Short mmCIF file of all heavy atoms in Angstrom, two decimals:
data_model
loop_
_atom_site.label_atom_id
_atom_site.label_comp_id
_atom_site.label_asym_id
_atom_site.label_seq_id
_atom_site.Cartn_x
_atom_site.Cartn_y
_atom_site.Cartn_z
N GLU A 1 0.83 -1.20 0.00
CA GLU A 1 0.00 0.00 0.00
C GLU A 1 0.87 1.26 0.00
O GLU A 1 0.57 2.24 -0.70
CB GLU A 1 -0.93 -0.01 1.23
CG GLU A 1 -1.81 1.22 1.36
CD GLU A 1 -2.80 1.38 0.22
OE1 GLU A 1 -3.03 0.40 -0.53
OE2 GLU A 1 -3.33 2.49 0.06
N ALA A 2 1.95 1.23 0.77
CA ALA A 2 2.86 2.38 0.81
C ALA A 2 3.48 2.61 -0.57
O ALA A 2 3.60 3.76 -1.02
CB ALA A 2 3.96 2.15 1.85
N GLU A 3 3.87 1.53 -1.22
CA GLU A 3 4.46 1.67 -2.55
C GLU A 3 3.45 2.21 -3.56
O GLU A 3 3.78 3.05 -4.41
CB GLU A 3 4.99 0.31 -3.02
CG GLU A 3 5.71 0.37 -4.36
CD GLU A 3 6.31 -0.96 -4.74
OE1 GLU A 3 5.78 -2.02 -4.33
OE2 GLU A 3 7.33 -0.96 -5.47
N ARG A 4 2.21 1.76 -3.46
CA ARG A 4 1.17 2.20 -4.39
C ARG A 4 0.91 3.69 -4.30
O ARG A 4 0.65 4.36 -5.31
CB ARG A 4 -0.13 1.42 -4.11
CG ARG A 4 -1.24 1.68 -5.12
CD ARG A 4 -2.52 0.96 -4.72
NE ARG A 4 -3.11 1.51 -3.51
CZ ARG A 4 -3.83 2.63 -3.49
NH1 ARG A 4 -4.06 3.32 -4.60
NH2 ARG A 4 -4.34 3.06 -2.35
N THR A 5 0.99 4.24 -3.09
CA THR A 5 0.66 5.66 -2.89
C THR A 5 1.90 6.55 -2.77
O THR A 5 1.77 7.73 -2.46
CB THR A 5 -0.19 5.81 -1.60
OG1 THR A 5 0.54 5.27 -0.48
CG2 THR A 5 -1.51 5.06 -1.74
N ALA A 6 3.07 6.00 -3.02
CA ALA A 6 4.31 6.75 -2.84
C ALA A 6 4.49 7.82 -3.91
O ALA A 6 4.04 7.66 -5.05
CB ALA A 6 5.50 5.79 -2.87
N PRO A 7 5.16 8.93 -3.56
CA PRO A 7 5.47 9.96 -4.56
C PRO A 7 6.36 9.37 -5.66
O PRO A 7 7.16 8.46 -5.41
CB PRO A 7 6.24 11.02 -3.76
CG PRO A 7 5.86 10.79 -2.33
CD PRO A 7 5.64 9.31 -2.22
N PRO A 8 6.24 9.87 -6.88
CA PRO A 8 7.03 9.32 -7.99
C PRO A 8 8.53 9.31 -7.74
O PRO A 8 9.23 8.40 -8.16
CB PRO A 8 6.66 10.25 -9.16
CG PRO A 8 5.32 10.79 -8.80
CD PRO A 8 5.31 10.92 -7.32
N ALA A 9 9.02 10.32 -7.03
CA ALA A 9 10.46 10.45 -6.83
C ALA A 9 11.07 9.29 -6.05
O ALA A 9 12.27 9.02 -6.15
CB ALA A 9 10.78 11.77 -6.11
N ILE A 10 10.25 8.57 -5.28
CA ILE A 10 10.80 7.52 -4.41
C ILE A 10 10.48 6.11 -4.92
O ILE A 10 10.84 5.12 -4.29
CB ILE A 10 10.27 7.70 -2.97
CG1 ILE A 10 11.20 7.01 -1.97
CG2 ILE A 10 8.84 7.19 -2.83
CD1 ILE A 10 10.85 7.29 -0.52
N LYS A 11 9.84 6.00 -6.08
CA LYS A 11 9.44 4.70 -6.60
C LYS A 11 10.63 3.76 -6.77
O LYS A 11 10.55 2.56 -6.46
CB LYS A 11 8.72 4.87 -7.94
CG LYS A 11 7.35 5.53 -7.84
CD LYS A 11 6.33 4.64 -7.13
CE LYS A 11 4.93 5.23 -7.18
NZ LYS A 11 3.92 4.38 -6.50
N LYS A 12 11.75 4.28 -7.28
CA LYS A 12 12.93 3.43 -7.47
C LYS A 12 13.49 2.94 -6.14
O LYS A 12 14.04 1.84 -6.04
CB LYS A 12 13.99 4.18 -8.26
CG LYS A 12 13.63 4.41 -9.72
CD LYS A 12 14.78 5.09 -10.48
CE LYS A 12 14.43 5.28 -11.94
NZ LYS A 12 15.54 5.96 -12.68
N ALA A 13 13.33 3.77 -5.11
CA ALA A 13 13.81 3.37 -3.79
C ALA A 13 13.00 2.18 -3.26
O ALA A 13 13.53 1.34 -2.53
CB ALA A 13 13.74 4.54 -2.82
N TYR A 14 11.72 2.12 -3.62
CA TYR A 14 10.90 0.97 -3.20
C TYR A 14 11.41 -0.31 -3.86
O TYR A 14 11.39 -1.39 -3.24
CB TYR A 14 9.43 1.20 -3.55
CG TYR A 14 8.69 1.93 -2.45
CD1 TYR A 14 8.66 3.31 -2.41
CD2 TYR A 14 8.03 1.22 -1.44
CE1 TYR A 14 7.99 3.99 -1.38
CE2 TYR A 14 7.37 1.89 -0.42
CZ TYR A 14 7.35 3.26 -0.40
OH TYR A 14 6.70 3.92 0.62
N ALA A 15 11.83 -0.22 -5.10
CA ALA A 15 12.40 -1.39 -5.76
C ALA A 15 13.66 -1.86 -5.05
O ALA A 15 13.87 -3.07 -4.84
CB ALA A 15 12.70 -1.07 -7.23
N ALA A 16 14.49 -0.88 -4.63
CA ALA A 16 15.71 -1.23 -3.89
C ALA A 16 15.35 -1.83 -2.53
O ALA A 16 16.01 -2.77 -2.05
CB ALA A 16 16.57 0.02 -3.70
N ALA A 17 14.29 -1.31 -1.91
CA ALA A 17 13.86 -1.84 -0.61
C ALA A 17 13.35 -3.27 -0.74
O ALA A 17 13.58 -4.10 0.15
CB ALA A 17 12.78 -0.94 -0.02
N ARG A 18 12.68 -3.57 -1.83
CA ARG A 18 12.20 -4.95 -2.05
C ARG A 18 13.39 -5.92 -2.12
O ARG A 18 13.34 -7.03 -1.58
CB ARG A 18 11.37 -5.04 -3.34
CG ARG A 18 9.97 -4.52 -3.19
CD ARG A 18 9.09 -4.91 -4.37
NE ARG A 18 7.73 -4.43 -4.18
CZ ARG A 18 6.80 -5.05 -3.48
NH1 ARG A 18 7.10 -6.19 -2.87
NH2 ARG A 18 5.58 -4.55 -3.37
N GLU A 19 14.45 -5.50 -2.78
CA GLU A 19 15.66 -6.34 -2.85
C GLU A 19 16.26 -6.50 -1.46
O GLU A 19 16.73 -7.58 -1.10
CB GLU A 19 16.67 -5.71 -3.81
CG GLU A 19 16.21 -5.68 -5.26
CD GLU A 19 17.23 -5.01 -6.17
OE1 GLU A 19 18.31 -4.61 -5.67
OE2 GLU A 19 16.96 -4.88 -7.38
N TYR A 20 16.25 -5.43 -0.70
CA TYR A 20 16.79 -5.45 0.67
C TYR A 20 15.98 -6.41 1.54
O TYR A 20 16.56 -7.20 2.30
CB TYR A 20 16.73 -4.03 1.23
CG TYR A 20 17.25 -3.87 2.64
CD1 TYR A 20 18.60 -3.99 2.92
CD2 TYR A 20 16.38 -3.58 3.69
CE1 TYR A 20 19.08 -3.82 4.22
CE2 TYR A 20 16.84 -3.40 4.98
CZ TYR A 20 18.20 -3.53 5.24
OH TYR A 20 18.66 -3.37 6.52
N ILE A 21 14.66 -6.36 1.41
CA ILE A 21 13.79 -7.24 2.20
C ILE A 21 13.99 -8.70 1.79
O ILE A 21 13.99 -9.60 2.64
CB ILE A 21 12.32 -6.81 2.04
CG1 ILE A 21 12.11 -5.42 2.67
CG2 ILE A 21 11.36 -7.83 2.65
CD1 ILE A 21 10.82 -4.74 2.22
N ALA A 22 14.15 -8.93 0.50
CA ALA A 22 14.30 -10.29 0.00
C ALA A 22 15.61 -10.92 0.47
O ALA A 22 15.68 -12.13 0.73
CB ALA A 22 14.24 -10.30 -1.53
N GLU A 23 16.65 -10.11 0.59
CA GLU A 23 17.96 -10.63 0.99
C GLU A 23 18.62 -9.65 1.96
O GLU A 23 19.60 -8.98 1.63
CB GLU A 23 18.84 -10.85 -0.24
CG GLU A 23 20.01 -11.76 0.00
CD GLU A 23 20.77 -12.10 -1.28
OE1 GLU A 23 20.39 -11.61 -2.36
OE2 GLU A 23 21.75 -12.86 -1.18
N PRO A 24 18.09 -9.54 3.18
CA PRO A 24 18.56 -8.51 4.12
C PRO A 24 20.00 -8.70 4.58
O PRO A 24 20.63 -7.72 5.00
CB PRO A 24 17.58 -8.63 5.29
CG PRO A 24 17.03 -10.01 5.19
CD PRO A 24 16.98 -10.32 3.73
N SER A 25 20.52 -9.91 4.53
CA SER A 25 21.88 -10.14 5.02
C SER A 25 22.95 -9.78 4.01
O SER A 25 24.12 -9.67 4.37
CB SER A 25 22.04 -11.61 5.44
OG SER A 25 21.84 -12.47 4.33
N ALA A 26 22.58 -9.58 2.75
CA ALA A 26 23.58 -9.30 1.72
C ALA A 26 24.32 -8.00 2.02
O ALA A 26 25.55 -7.96 2.05
CB ALA A 26 22.93 -9.23 0.35
N LYS A 27 23.55 -6.93 2.23
CA LYS A 27 24.10 -5.65 2.66
C LYS A 27 23.15 -5.12 3.72
O LYS A 27 22.08 -4.59 3.40
CB LYS A 27 24.22 -4.67 1.49
CG LYS A 27 25.35 -5.00 0.52
CD LYS A 27 25.55 -3.89 -0.49
CE LYS A 27 26.76 -4.17 -1.38
NZ LYS A 27 26.99 -3.06 -2.35
N PRO A 28 23.49 -5.29 5.00
CA PRO A 28 22.52 -5.02 6.08
C PRO A 28 22.15 -3.57 6.31
O PRO A 28 21.11 -3.29 6.90
CB PRO A 28 23.22 -5.61 7.30
CG PRO A 28 24.67 -5.61 6.97
CD PRO A 28 24.74 -5.86 5.50
N PHE A 29 22.98 -2.63 5.88
CA PHE A 29 22.63 -1.21 6.06
C PHE A 29 21.88 -0.71 4.82
O PHE A 29 22.22 -1.05 3.70
CB PHE A 29 23.89 -0.37 6.28
CG PHE A 29 24.37 -0.35 7.71
CD1 PHE A 29 24.71 -1.52 8.36
CD2 PHE A 29 24.48 0.84 8.41
CE1 PHE A 29 25.14 -1.53 9.67
CE2 PHE A 29 24.92 0.87 9.74
CZ PHE A 29 25.26 -0.32 10.36
N PHE A 30 20.86 0.11 5.06
CA PHE A 30 20.06 0.68 3.97
C PHE A 30 19.85 2.15 4.30
O PHE A 30 19.15 2.49 5.26
CB PHE A 30 18.73 -0.06 3.86
CG PHE A 30 17.88 0.33 2.68
CD1 PHE A 30 18.44 0.61 1.45
CD2 PHE A 30 16.49 0.41 2.80
CE1 PHE A 30 17.66 0.95 0.35
CE2 PHE A 30 15.69 0.75 1.73
CZ PHE A 30 16.28 1.02 0.49
N THR A 31 20.50 3.02 3.55
CA THR A 31 20.48 4.45 3.85
C THR A 31 19.71 5.21 2.78
O THR A 31 20.01 5.10 1.59
CB THR A 31 21.92 5.00 3.94
OG1 THR A 31 22.66 4.24 4.90
CG2 THR A 31 21.91 6.46 4.36
N LEU A 32 18.70 5.96 3.22
CA LEU A 32 17.88 6.76 2.32
C LEU A 32 18.14 8.23 2.59
O LEU A 32 17.89 8.73 3.69
CB LEU A 32 16.40 6.45 2.55
CG LEU A 32 15.95 5.01 2.28
CD1 LEU A 32 14.60 4.75 2.91
CD2 LEU A 32 15.91 4.75 0.78
N VAL A 33 18.64 8.93 1.60
CA VAL A 33 18.98 10.35 1.74
C VAL A 33 18.17 11.15 0.72
O VAL A 33 18.09 10.77 -0.45
CB VAL A 33 20.49 10.58 1.50
CG1 VAL A 33 20.81 12.06 1.48
CG2 VAL A 33 21.31 9.87 2.57
N GLY A 34 17.56 12.23 1.17
CA GLY A 34 16.78 13.05 0.25
C GLY A 34 16.08 14.17 0.97
O GLY A 34 16.12 14.28 2.20
N ASN A 35 15.41 15.01 0.20
CA ASN A 35 14.71 16.16 0.77
C ASN A 35 13.55 15.73 1.66
O ASN A 35 13.04 14.61 1.55
CB ASN A 35 14.17 17.06 -0.36
CG ASN A 35 15.29 17.69 -1.17
OD1 ASN A 35 16.37 17.93 -0.65
ND2 ASN A 35 15.02 17.96 -2.45
N ALA A 36 13.11 16.63 2.51
CA ALA A 36 11.94 16.38 3.35
C ALA A 36 10.71 16.20 2.47
O ALA A 36 10.58 16.82 1.40
CB ALA A 36 11.73 17.54 4.32
N GLY A 37 9.79 15.33 2.89
CA GLY A 37 8.53 15.17 2.18
C GLY A 37 8.59 14.27 0.97
O GLY A 37 7.64 14.22 0.19
N THR A 38 9.68 13.53 0.80
CA THR A 38 9.78 12.63 -0.36
C THR A 38 9.34 11.21 -0.04
O THR A 38 9.36 10.34 -0.91
CB THR A 38 11.22 12.62 -0.91
OG1 THR A 38 12.14 12.37 0.16
CG2 THR A 38 11.57 13.94 -1.56
N GLY A 39 8.96 10.93 1.20
CA GLY A 39 8.43 9.62 1.54
C GLY A 39 9.41 8.67 2.18
O GLY A 39 9.15 7.46 2.26
N LYS A 40 10.53 9.19 2.68
CA LYS A 40 11.56 8.32 3.25
C LYS A 40 11.07 7.60 4.51
O LYS A 40 11.32 6.41 4.71
CB LYS A 40 12.82 9.13 3.59
CG LYS A 40 13.46 9.85 2.42
CD LYS A 40 14.75 10.53 2.80
CE LYS A 40 14.59 11.56 3.92
NZ LYS A 40 13.69 12.67 3.54
#
C-alpha cells in the first residue's frame, strides 16, 4: 500500500527496498537520503 501511494520520486527506492527485504543479510545497512517530504 505504501508503494502504491508513494510519490514518484521515491518509486525506485521501493524497488531497492524490495531487494533489501528479500535478501537482508547481503548488505545489512540501507540508507535513504533526500529532501523532506519525499516519503523516506
Side-chain angles (χ1 to χ4, degrees):
E1 178 63 16
E3 184 176 28
R4 186 184 68 79
T5 57
I10 202 172
K11 291 292 187 180
K12 290 183 179 179
Y14 272 88
R18 282 193 178 277
E19 294 178 2
Y20 180 70
I21 293 164
E23 198 173 1
S25 61
K27 287 188 175 182
F29 276 59
F30 187 38
T31 305
L32 298 164
V33 173
N35 294 331
T38 51
K40 301 185 301 298

